[in-house]
Amino acid sequence: MTEEETRRKRQARFERLAQVVVEPLHRYLLRRAGADLAEDVLSETMLVLWRRIDDVPGPGTGSATEPATEPDADPDADHSPDEVLPWCYGVARGCLANARRADGRRLRLVERLIRTQQRPPTGAADHSDHSDLHAALGALGALDREVVQLWAWEELAPRQIAEVTGLTSNAVSIRLHRAKKKLAAQLGRKDAERSGHKRDEGRSSQ
């Protein structure tokens, strides 16, 4: 089998798998995370499944050069939900754990930066941190910046922020989640690299 034929076979198997697992995985994640995080983790889960398509249980498992099914077999037989979903749930569970760890690091970073903002600068290093934080907050949209400040400085919960801003609690949670990610992207990239945390890729073994 040529490389192109192998690629097409893997692509076809992934597309059949996606038809079976995307909706159940989305429901699984929505029961365990907010809508915004669930969407992000679902995308990451499907990326892992694409990378590991040869590991997904079923007759198509193994070398991509081997036929996935017998010539007269049902082309969808290698994607029975009962067989593939438990394995895929395991991948999603690992991706969700990774995302929550990343959110925890971002949250700690933002909290540390907020504490820096609250302290008066005492030297050049503090002044630099102070300026960086102002710049990062200034890069947010006005409403996102207000949501972050109400959460960090006034210590309001999303429900309370919703009362202040006129947004729904869900909209506040989504805006806060995205704003923290933007702040982390601007201020925490080097900090996250120095942490030396090595991500898992879904499940390491079966």
Side-chain angles (χ1 to χ4, degrees):
M1 183 178 294
T2 67
E3 183 177 342
E4 178 62 20
E5 288 172 332
T6 298
R7 187 196 66 77
R8 285 201 301 267
K9 182 181 287 291
R10 295 182 81 251
Q11 179 69 31
R13 185 163 196 249
F14 176 76
E15 289 173 357
R16 294 196 302 272
L17 176 69
Q19 291 176 357
V20 172
V21 304
V22 164
E23 288 189 11
L25 285 176
H26 194 214
R27 290 194 298 269
Y28 170 90
L29 292 166
L30 282 173
R31 293 185 184 109
R32 290 158 176 80
D36 192 55
L37 181 57
E39 292 287 345
D40 289 346
V41 175
L42 178 61
S43 297
E44 179 66 19
T45 300
M46 297 310 296
L47 180 59
V48 173
L49 292 181
W50 164 249
R51 290 171 177 163
R52 301 185 59 189
I53 189 65
D54 294 332
D55 297 332
V56 177
T61 304
S63 171
T65 61
E66 297 294 331
T69 59
E70 295 296 327
D72 324 349
D74 179 352
D76 293 326
D78 56 338
H79 299 107
S80 165
D82 289 343
E83 187 168 11
V84 300
L85 272 174
W87 194 92
C88 294
Y89 285 146
V91 173
R93 183 173 181 269
C95 290
L96 181 58
N98 286 337
R100 284 175 169 158
R101 282 194 293 268
D103 271 355
R105 291 195 302 275
R106 284 191 289 265
L107 176 59
R108 288 191 294 273
L109 169 68
V110 171
E111 288 174 341
R112 186 167 67 251
L113 290 167
I114 294 301
R115 288 195 297 270
T116 300
Q117 165 71 9
Q118 291 172 326
R119 292 194 301 266
T122 57
D126 286 335
H127 179 71
S128 175
D129 289 343
H130 183 81
S131 299
D132 288 347
L133 180 56
H134 269 300
L137 287 170
L140 298 176
L143 187 53
D144 285 349
R145 184 166 59 251
E146 177 68 7
V147 166
V148 169
Q149 290 171 334
L150 288 168
W151 166 77
W153 295 343
E154 274 61 60
E155 300 182 350
L156 299 185
R159 175 183 54 80
Q160 297 168 310
I161 296 172
E163 293 178 12
V164 175
T165 60
L167 299 169
T168 65
S169 295
N170 186 57
V172 168
S173 296
I174 291 172
R175 282 183 176 274
L176 185 58
H177 175 74
R178 291 176 175 170
K180 286 189 288 186
K181 289 176 74 172
K182 289 177 183 177
L183 285 172
Q186 293 184 65
L187 296 164
R189 192 172 295 111
K190 292 183 180 178
D191 182 80
E193 291 171 356
R194 286 196 297 271
S195 72
H197 176 75
K198 184 177 180 181
R199 291 181 55 196
D200 304 326
E201 189 175 82
R203 290 161 66 124
S204 57
S205 63
Q206 286 294 313

